Amino acid sequence: MSFLKYIFILLPFFLIAQVNEVKQDSTVVEYLIIEGDSVPRTSINLDQVMLLHKLKFNKREERIRYLILRRKTLKVFPYAKLASERLDSMNMHLATLKRDREKKRYTKSIQKYIEGEFSEELKKLSRTEGQILIKLIHRQTGTTAFDLIKKLRSGWRAFWYNTTASMFDISLKREFNPMDVKEDYLIEDILQRSFQNGLLERQQPAVKFDFYDLTEKWLDLKRL
């Protein structure tokens, strides 16, 4: 799975930000401005909670496949989340560098770190886990793994790694498409349930879709 390792070699490690703590009076009241009048707001903003349908399986085999997909999704999602975070960090840091030499030096330092930190873990991924990871990288970054490599290296290098991946029936160009691909919808269902159960840390996707629309579509198809 060296092509998966390469994806993370291209993503950054350090993003240093200083956060200043500000003490606030617990008695402070927020005001809403409505047509020139100040109205005190005493309500509390609550986190959004999605109402998820109860899982039902027509066959035992469907349940088993879902549980297997769930196990693999839980395993690889943290890597996709990390890819998104590293990509954001890299773009922010590179924007502060003016010289190409500085950018190359920064990228090289990240490569060495990622190689030592994640290469052995990524090598342990199975073919199906690798493909799920490719989909989730697109979900979290809005960019395919192929285009990430092409952007950060060269078109030839992206072509080479895509060709290598195809030998394992894995396409680096694969996108996350829960509206048209049932497996992708099931992955999204697994993620939403895992976010609510606290099994995974929520991260907003870069790919836009409405989960309730997805659910309605696939449940309607299931009833046919």
Side-chain angles (χ1 to χ4, degrees):
M1 306 292 287
S2 60
F3 56 90
L4 291 177
K5 178 185 72 174
Y6 186 78
I7 295 172
F8 285 84
I9 290 176
L10 299 176
L11 301 176
F13 168 44
F14 293 109
L15 175 62
I16 302 176
Q18 182 177 359
V19 179
N20 296 322
E21 294 185 1
V22 179
K23 294 183 178 180
Q24 296 184 357
D25 189 343
S26 60
T27 61
V28 171
V29 178
E30 280 190 54
Y31 286 84
L32 299 178
I33 307 301
I34 303 177
E35 295 184 355
D37 294 330
S38 298
V39 181
R41 186 177 71 175
T42 58
S43 61
I44 301 175
N45 292 328
L46 300 177
D47 294 334
Q48 181 181 3
V49 177
M50 297 187 66
L51 299 178
L52 304 177
H53 68 285
K54 184 177 180 180
L55 286 175
K56 293 182 180 179
F57 302 96
N58 295 330
K59 299 180 181 179
R60 180 173 178 271
E61 289 76 11
E62 288 184 1
R63 176 179 175 81
I64 293 176
R65 285 196 295 269
Y66 182 89
L67 292 177
I68 292 175
L69 183 63
R70 178 178 182 272
R71 174 175 57 81
K72 294 181 178 182
T73 300
L74 292 178
K75 180 178 180 179
V76 303
F77 178 78
Y79 292 112
K81 180 176 180 293
L82 177 65
S84 177
E85 294 169 349
R86 294 296 186 264
L87 183 62
D88 289 341
S89 299
M90 185 189 69
N91 290 334
M92 292 177 64
H93 188 78
L94 287 178
T96 66
L97 303 178
K98 297 180 179 180
R99 298 180 180 180
D100 291 339
R101 180 180 299 179
E102 293 177 336
K103 295 179 180 180
K104 290 181 180 179
R105 186 183 299 120
Y106 171 72
T107 303
K108 188 174 182 180
S109 66
I110 299 305
Q111 290 177 359
K112 290 183 178 180
Y113 168 77
I114 296 296
E115 283 181 344
E117 187 73 12
F118 297 105
S119 59
E120 292 303 317
E121 296 182 34
L122 294 175
K123 288 178 181 178
K124 298 177 183 179
L125 297 182
S126 67
R127 177 182 60 81
T128 53
E129 288 169 348
Q131 189 64 84
I132 294 172
L133 175 57
I134 296 300
K135 292 181 178 182
L136 290 179
I137 286 177
H138 178 256
R139 179 189 188 272
Q140 298 310 120
T141 67
T143 307
T144 65
F146 181 89
D147 287 336
L148 282 175
I149 296 175
K150 183 177 180 180
K151 175 183 178 181
L152 300 176
R153 282 301 188 184
S154 67
W156 168 250
R157 185 62 63 89
F159 169 78
W160 174 253
Y161 273 86
N162 188 66
T163 302
T164 304
S166 66
M167 297 178 183
F168 300 93
D169 194 25
I170 296 177
S171 173
L172 299 182
K173 296 180 180 180
R174 187 69 60 87
E175 297 183 355
F176 185 70
N177 184 13
M179 180 59 72
D180 299 321
V181 180
K182 185 176 181 179
E183 180 181 88
D184 292 1
Y185 161 69
L186 293 176
I187 290 174
E188 185 62 31
D189 180 87
I190 291 168
L191 290 178
Q192 293 301 329
R193 295 178 190 278
S194 299
F195 294 152
Q196 286 204 6
N197 294 334
L199 296 177
L200 292 175
E201 183 179 354
R202 185 183 296 274
Q203 185 187 59
Q204 292 300 321
V207 178
K208 302 302 180 183
F209 52 80
D210 188 300
F211 181 71
Y212 290 118
D213 289 343
L214 298 177
T215 301
E216 183 177 356
K217 172 187 175 178
W218 289 107
L219 288 182
D220 287 343
L221 290 175
K222 190 174 182 180
R223 297 187 188 102
L224 296 178

